[in-house]
Amino acid sequence: MKLKRLFPCLFICMSLFSCIQDEAPNAEADITAFSVTGAGDGVLDVDIENDKIVVWASPNLELSGLAPEFTLTAGATISPASGTVLDFSEPQYYEVTSEDRKWKKKYEVSFLTADIPTEFSFEHYFIKEKTNYETFYEEDADGKTLMSWASGNPGFAITGQGTDKSVYPTLSSPDGYKGNCAKLVTRSTGFFGAAVGMPIAAGNLFLGVFDVKNALTDALKATQMGFPFGYRPVTLRGYYKYKSGEVYKENGTTVSGKKDACDIYAFFYETDENLKRVDGTNKFTHPNVVSIARISGQKETKDKWVEFNIPFEMVPGKTIDPEKLKNKKYNLGIVFSSSIDGDHFNGAVGSTLLIDEVKLECAVN
């Protein structure tokens, strides 16, 4: 029995080692840290992704003459050079070259000073180079990208099951309430996922960042949720369709008679020097959370669109500081999932949630 258990583990280790070997040259041309000297409280948050850096900034930060500084992987160089003064009222582009000069990576660096939108239509998505999965984004009337949604798709890609965009847990669908919509499906993660104790991947969509580096070691903490937001949220509204998968499993074991359920929720929390973002371990329990909106009584909808209207309820004893709100010292998180316990890898393969025309209503003051 010990040998039987050993072989899958050896296979996984070899697979991971092979992936690391294949990607190692590319990793030598990475930006690992970012800072802006003299920005003070003007920089609220920084997201460093594979080929993109998004800086969440205060509205009073002057963008026309900033000199970002970068930390790179050992021996790498960057052009324009770290510390070069540039106008970031529009995105700027950098190229990182590895120490052996064989690998280059281009980064887009953008500063976002406006609040995220309050209406989400899920009409637009893109597919990054060297991936198969879709990433949703929202744009304004002029076609400018306002923000991108995160999902667990990058983690699902590690399992080797993502052979085509249509088999990922989070994808687009033309069958929306209006136009396109987000389609979230609970998928099997196959042999790899089962071997590491993650037999399913619920379709999810959230405001925040998925830290793929921690996807296998600590999946809950890999889900970093929330974006800076300068208004007090009051209600989360929208439309959904839901159908549960046929066989519900907990820890990979079938639970007879149990039905899966979707989840829709949002939360508002204060950021400080100790808290950049909440994650899957503390999204409802962190002491900085001030209000929560979460669906209740959700059910299968028999192929009909159903409206949801969920009020934000203040956490007892919590208040919102108007001055901190003005300076965007609060983050807003919104999350959709095809399996309510999918973050613990429990649910029914095939459970499907469609989401469309979501609107966040906020107080004026």
Side-chain angles (χ1 to χ4, degrees), residues 168-285:
Y168 273 85
T170 301
L171 65 161
S172 65
S173 168
D175 302 320
Y177 183 78
K178 292 183 180 179
N180 295 332
C181 68
K183 181 178 181 179
L184 314 179
V185 185
T186 300
R187 307 285 196 188
S188 167
T189 54
F191 172 81
F192 182 97
V196 296
M198 305 175 182
I200 67 163
N204 65 4
L205 198 64
F206 61 95
L207 296 183
V209 177
F210 185 79
D211 182 5
V212 70
K213 296 188 298 296
N214 290 324
L216 292 178
T217 56
D218 197 335
L220 288 176
K221 286 192 174 181
T223 309
Q224 301 282 322
M225 295 176 281
F227 285 152
F229 194 63
Y231 296 91
R232 179 170 63 87
V234 176
T235 306
L236 183 69
R237 301 175 56 187
Y239 296 86
Y240 81 101
K241 279 186 184 181
Y242 186 68
K243 181 174 178 57
S244 172
E246 294 183 1
V247 180
Y248 189 94
K249 291 186 177 182
E250 291 183 0
N251 301 316
T253 302
T254 299
V255 181
S256 180
K258 186 168 184 177
K259 296 287 287 185
D260 206 353
C262 64
D263 207 2
I264 300 170
Y265 58 90
F267 44 85
F268 197 53
Y269 62 94
E270 183 180 346
T271 61
D272 55 38
E273 60 183 13
N274 297 315
L275 180 69
K276 175 183 177 181
R277 283 201 175 99
V278 298
D279 56 47
T281 68
N282 58 13
K283 58 194 175 186
F284 297 129
T285 60

Side-chain angles (χ1 to χ4, degrees), residues 7-20 192:
F7 286 130
C9 293
L10 287 173
F11 176 79
I12 292 168
C13 291
M14 291 173 65
S15 298
L16 287 173
F17 181 70
S18 175
C19 289
I20 291 170
F192 182 97

Side-chain angles (χ1 to χ4, degrees), residues 39-362:
D41 293 336
V43 174
L44 305 172
D45 206 350
V46 179
D47 292 327
I48 301 178
E49 301 182 37
N50 181 53
D51 57 359
K52 184 177 183 179
I53 296 178
V54 176
V55 184
W56 301 89
S58 172
N60 58 11
L61 180 64
E62 176 55 54
L63 302 181
S64 61
L66 297 177
E69 296 182 355
F70 304 91
T71 301
L72 312 175
T73 46
T77 57
I78 188 168
S79 179
S82 183
T84 301
V85 177
L86 296 173
D87 181 359
F88 283 90
S89 56
E90 295 291 337
Q92 296 291 336
Y93 296 87
Y94 292 79
E95 184 173 79
V96 180
T97 303
S98 62
E99 184 176 23
D100 62 9
R101 315 299 295 175
K102 294 180 180 180
W103 299 92
K104 296 180 184 292
K105 181 185 286 188
K106 291 184 178 179
Y107 280 87
E108 177 187 277
V109 180
S110 58
F111 281 67
L112 298 182
T113 56
D115 277 300
I116 61 172
T118 56
E119 296 186 11
F120 312 102
S121 62
F122 309 108
E123 293 293 333
H124 310 290
Y125 66 87
F126 62 86
I127 299 177
K128 289 185 177 181
E129 186 179 358
K130 298 181 181 179
T131 69
N132 293 323
Y133 57 82
E134 300 168 337
T135 298
F136 286 96
Y137 67 93
E138 303 294 336
E139 64 178 32
D140 62 17
D142 297 323
K144 181 180 179 180
T145 298
L146 300 173
M147 52 147 283
S148 296
W149 289 86
S151 76
N153 278 348
F156 187 78
I158 296 174
T159 69
Q161 299 293 106
T163 54
D164 181 80
K165 67 177 185 179
S166 64
V167 301
Y168 273 85
T170 301
L171 65 161
S172 65
S173 168
D175 302 320
Y177 183 78
K178 292 183 180 179
N180 295 332
C181 68
K183 181 178 181 179
L184 314 179
V185 185
T186 300
R187 307 285 196 188
S188 167
T189 54
F191 172 81
F192 182 97
V196 296
M198 305 175 182
I200 67 163
N204 65 4
L205 198 64
F206 61 95
L207 296 183
V209 177
F210 185 79
D211 182 5
V212 70
K213 296 188 298 296
N214 290 324
L216 292 178
T217 56
D218 197 335
L220 288 176
K221 286 192 174 181
T223 309
Q224 301 282 322
M225 295 176 281
F227 285 152
F229 194 63
Y231 296 91
R232 179 170 63 87
V234 176
T235 306
L236 183 69
R237 301 175 56 187
Y239 296 86
Y240 81 101
K241 279 186 184 181
Y242 186 68
K243 181 174 178 57
S244 172
E246 294 183 1
V247 180
Y248 189 94
K249 291 186 177 182
E250 291 183 0
N251 301 316
T253 302
T254 299
V255 181
S256 180
K258 186 168 184 177
K259 296 287 287 185
D260 206 353
C262 64
D263 207 2
I264 300 170
Y265 58 90
F267 44 85
F268 197 53
Y269 62 94
E270 183 180 346
T271 61
D272 55 38
E273 60 183 13
N274 297 315
L275 180 69
K276 175 183 177 181
R277 283 201 175 99
V278 298
D279 56 47
T281 68
N282 58 13
K283 58 194 175 186
F284 297 129
T285 60
H286 197 283
N288 284 32
V289 175
V290 297
S291 65
I292 299 170
R294 192 174 191 183
I295 195 171
S296 61
Q298 61 270 48
K299 57 186 178 181
E300 292 186 286
T301 62
K302 298 182 180 180
D303 204 36
K304 294 183 179 179
W305 284 99
V306 173
E307 185 176 11
F308 61 85
N309 191 331
I310 316 168
F312 280 79
E313 297 182 359
M314 293 295 295
V315 174
K318 295 293 183 178
T319 59
I320 296 176
D321 185 316
E323 189 64 25
K324 290 181 179 178
L325 187 64
K326 178 182 177 181
N327 292 318
K328 295 207 289 190
K329 297 299 183 180
Y330 290 89
N331 276 9
L332 171 73
I334 300 176
V335 183
F336 308 102
S337 177
S338 57
S339 291
I340 192 169
D341 290 324
D343 53 351
H344 294 284
F345 308 103
N346 299 325
V349 171
S351 292
T352 303
L353 172 66
L354 302 185
I355 291 288
D356 204 7
E357 300 304 314
V358 173
K359 182 176 183 180
L360 183 69
E361 296 182 342
C362 302

